[in-house]
């Protein structure tokens, strides 16, 4: 992509974002009046844990009428081409009353499901879409939307049915052991209270946000409150993350600026590995020497970025830790393109825009000057990602192009969740990072002008 075009798009996005704080302060109700108080989170003392199995809601405690022979929960993984479908959990005996059980079982495995419930990204960075499968006699049925699950369950009679409907509506309920499990409670009025803990972070798509939901007996799911549980990690879009990057942080630092730049230095150093690997994979799959040379030049840029962010981290009292990157074999072209779409066309592109925002708004002059240089480099890196995409896409099958489009939409959704996390005031002021409101406006602008 022409880097000049990216600069124009970034300039427009930054101009639009300037109006965001004014709009927020000018729409708080009648002049002189206080905004209405926000409702607080529900009391969980009488809630129970959602029943989970293999990291997703269990299929126990259901009152489906008429009861199926079996109900299964399967997931579609969009990080693979073709999409991988896996069985997560099952209740009952599939095809138990079928006239030809083997033919019935074959129909289950032959189901062509490529889209399911809204995606949930887990601790391992895999994002999946779930769906249910039932068998009744010779009938095999897939349920891939919340409306279909609502029709399957009928009246919501049990807490687990309420939890399953919340899951089908896109709410995570069964986190890893390090995170709190979702909660559910039957209320006296026949409705259910369901609490989801959604996990996002820079390397695992994880910061914690609590969603308080109400599920009626008729199956209406309403979000009654959203409450961030911990601050986000604002360095999520610093540099291109290489495959094989091991999870880790640079350690605690009393100064938020030190912690930010220590993690930034770690990710900038990791990006050196990412671009060197990209250059090898481009050569392996027949890309032009121009694209290979651009990847190599980007790695050299990341060396300078690492040095700059190291100095800033040390200035604010932090000691960065080098990244650990597992040495993995070079990947098939389909995996390289999926990675380029997520890490380059979405995350690195947005990261370059954030760097320009910091160059304009950082109160600290040293940070402002450093980000001005980094922003220009990152704009070229984003342009390389789009150039790779433009070179490769025309030769792909419709299915492969659809998979790239899906991966891009997924990456945008994950970014939106990440930038909604509150930031330390020192980072928005001294480091010039956009507030959640401004970050959302920047994403809106890119989505309209570039990602549509």
């Amino acid at each position: 992509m022409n880097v000049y075009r990216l600069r124009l798009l970034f300039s427009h996005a930054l101009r639009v974002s300037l109006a965001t704080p004014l709009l927020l302060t000018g729409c708080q109700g009648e002049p002189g009046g206080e905004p209405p108080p926000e409702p607080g989170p529900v009391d969980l003392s009488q809630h129970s844990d959602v029943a989970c199995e293999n990291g997703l809601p269990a299929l126990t405690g259901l009152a489906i009428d008429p009861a199926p022979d079996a109900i299964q929960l399967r997931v579609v993984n969009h990080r693979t081409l073709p999409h991988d479908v896996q069985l997560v959990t099952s209740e009952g005996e599939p095809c138990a009353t079928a006239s030809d059980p083997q033919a019935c079982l074959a129909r289950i495995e032959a189901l062509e499901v490529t889209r399911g419930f809204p995606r949930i990204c887990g601790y391992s960075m895999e994002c999946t879409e779930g769906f249910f499968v039932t068998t009744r006699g010779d009938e095999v049925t897939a349920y891939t939307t919340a409306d279909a699950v609502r029709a399957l369950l009928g009246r919501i009679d049990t807490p687990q049915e309420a939890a399953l409907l919340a899951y089908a509506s896109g709410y995570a309920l069964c986190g890893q052991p390090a995170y709190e499990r979702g909660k559910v409670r039957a209320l006296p009025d026949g409705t259910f209270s369901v609490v989801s803990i959604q996990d996002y972070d820079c390397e695992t798509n994880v910061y914690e946000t609590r969603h308080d939901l109400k599920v009626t007996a008729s199956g209406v799911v309403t979000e009654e409150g959203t409450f961030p549980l911990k601050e986000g990690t604002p360095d999520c879009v610093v540099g291109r993350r290489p495959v094989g990057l091991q999870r880790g942080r640079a350690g605690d630092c009393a100064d938020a600026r030190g912690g930010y730049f220590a993690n930034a230095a770690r990710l900038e150093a990791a990006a050196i590995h990412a671009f060197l690997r990209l250059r090898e994979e481009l050569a392996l799959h027949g890309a032009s020497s121009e694209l290979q040379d651009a990847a190599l030049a980007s790695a050299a840029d990341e060396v300078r970025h690492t040095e700059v962010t190291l100095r800033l981290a040390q200035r604010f009292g932090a000691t960065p830790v080098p990244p650990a990157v597992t040495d993995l074999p070079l990947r098939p072209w389909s995996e390289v393109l999926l990675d380029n779409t997520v890490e380059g066309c979405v995350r690195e592109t947005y990261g370059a825009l954030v760097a320009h925002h910091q160059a304009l708004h950082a109160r600290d002059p040293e940070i402002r000057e450093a980000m001005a240089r980094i922003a220009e480099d990152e704009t070229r890196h984003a342009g390389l990602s789009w150039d790779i995409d433009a070179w490769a896409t025309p030769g792909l099958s419709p299915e492969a192009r659809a998979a790239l489009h899906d991966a891009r939409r997924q990456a945008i959704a994950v970014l939106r969740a990440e930038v909604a996390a509150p930031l330390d005031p020192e980072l928005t002021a001294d480091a010039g990072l956009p507030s959640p409101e401004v970050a959302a406006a920047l994403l809106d602008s890119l989505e309209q002008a570039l990602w549509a």
Side-chain angles (χ1 to χ4, degrees), residues 146-357:
D147 286 341
V149 173
R150 189 178 295 111
L152 167 67
L153 297 175
R155 179 180 172 83
I156 305 301
D157 299 304
T158 70
Q160 193 65 11
E161 288 182 347
L164 284 173
L165 187 55
Y167 164 68
S169 301
Y171 293 95
L173 296 170
C174 300
Q176 296 291 320
Y179 299 98
E180 187 176 2
R181 182 173 292 186
K183 307 290 183 182
V184 63
R185 177 193 174 194
L187 300 176
D189 63 359
T191 64
F192 297 86
S193 169
V194 180
V195 175
S196 161
I197 307 296
Q198 203 85 24
D199 302 337
Y200 301 99
D201 158 349
C202 173
E203 293 160 30
T204 62
N205 300 330
V206 176
Y207 78 82
E208 294 174 35
T209 300
R210 170 175 161 172
H211 302 270
D212 287 357
L213 312 172
K214 177 181 178 180
V215 181
T216 68
S218 62
V220 177
V221 179
T222 305
E223 187 168 294
E224 302 210 308
T226 301
F227 309 97
L229 300 183
K230 73 175 184 181
E231 286 190 347
T233 48
D235 53 333
C236 292
V237 289
V238 175
R240 177 185 282 244
R241 298 172 299 184
V243 62
L245 177 63
Q246 296 179 21
R247 189 165 183 259
R249 310 259 322 152
D252 293 330
C253 178
D255 191 308
R257 298 162 298 181
Y260 166 73
F261 283 108
N263 285 310
R266 176 176 172 274
L267 292 173
E268 296 283 17
I272 301 170
H273 296 266
F275 280 113
L276 291 175
R277 180 186 183 88
L278 178 62
R279 191 261 177 197
E280 290 186 72
E281 291 177 326
L282 288 171
L284 175 66
H285 297 293
S288 68
S289 59
E290 288 79 8
L291 291 176
Q292 296 178 46
D293 291 345
L296 190 59
S298 298
D301 292 338
E302 299 294 2
V303 172
R304 293 193 300 275
H305 298 177
T306 301
E307 294 170 350
V308 170
T309 49
L310 274 170
R311 287 198 300 270
L312 288 169
Q314 291 165 350
R315 174 188 159 193
F316 293 112
T319 303
V321 175
V325 181
T326 302
D327 188 18
L328 298 172
L330 299 182
R331 297 167 293 178
W333 189 226
S334 61
E335 293 184 22
V336 176
L337 291 181
L338 282 170
D339 186 67
N340 184 69
T341 290
V342 172
E343 292 298 318
C345 296
V346 176
R347 299 185 69 88
E348 199 165 31
T349 299
Y350 176 71
L353 176 55
V354 169
H356 282 285
H357 186 279

Side-chain angles (χ1 to χ4, degrees), residues 77-113:
N77 188 337
H78 284 265
R79 291 286 288 178
T80 60
L81 288 173
H83 301 323
D84 184 27
V85 177
Q86 298 174 335
L87 174 64
V88 177
T89 184
S90 181
E91 284 291 316
E93 183 180 349
C95 304
T97 62
S99 60
D100 185 343
Q102 290 303 315
C104 175
L105 292 171
R107 284 197 295 277
I108 295 176
E109 298 307 318
L111 285 171
E112 294 187 1
V113 176

